[in-house]
Amino acid sequence: MDITNEFPKFLSEMVESLFGTNKRYTELCHLEGDAITAISDLIGEEYTDRLIGIQADCMAFERMYCFLLGLRLGAELLNY
């Protein structure tokens, strides 16, 4: 098992589980969807798809970074 591929998948699943269970997160997702639709109408679907892909890649890096910071914090707390 390649842990570097599994962690981003796991973190994405955890974030997706917020949809429908966290009211504010769900509202933000709907607002984001509306904004993406408006952007797509203005600049076209192809460029919007590129933008969404880039955002998804950035979010994967950010989630992994935050997870690793959490591991580091946990390891530091174990030393106390």
Side-chain angles (χ1 to χ4, degrees):
M1 174 170 73
D2 183 2
I3 198 165
T4 59
N5 285 327
E6 294 303 313
F7 274 132
K9 290 178 190 175
F10 172 72
L11 295 172
S12 291
E13 289 171 9
M14 294 302 295
V15 170
E16 289 170 7
S17 72
L18 290 171
F19 190 81
T21 58
N22 183 294
K23 184 179 178 184
R24 181 64 180 146
Y25 181 77
T26 303
E27 290 171 356
L28 288 171
C29 287
H30 288 296
L31 288 173
E32 180 184 41
D34 293 344
I36 289 171
T37 300
I39 290 170
S40 182
D41 291 344
L42 290 171
I43 65 173
E45 191 173 326
E46 181 181 341
Y47 195 75
T48 303
D49 289 344
R50 284 184 55 206
L51 176 62
I52 291 169
I54 292 167
Q55 286 177 321
D57 290 343
C58 286
M59 282 189 281
F61 277 103
E62 291 164 356
R63 288 179 183 147
M64 180 62 83
Y65 181 72
C66 290
F67 176 77
L68 293 174
L69 285 176
L71 283 179
R72 183 175 177 189
L73 175 62
E76 290 292 325
L77 290 173
L78 286 174
N79 289 328
Y80 286 104

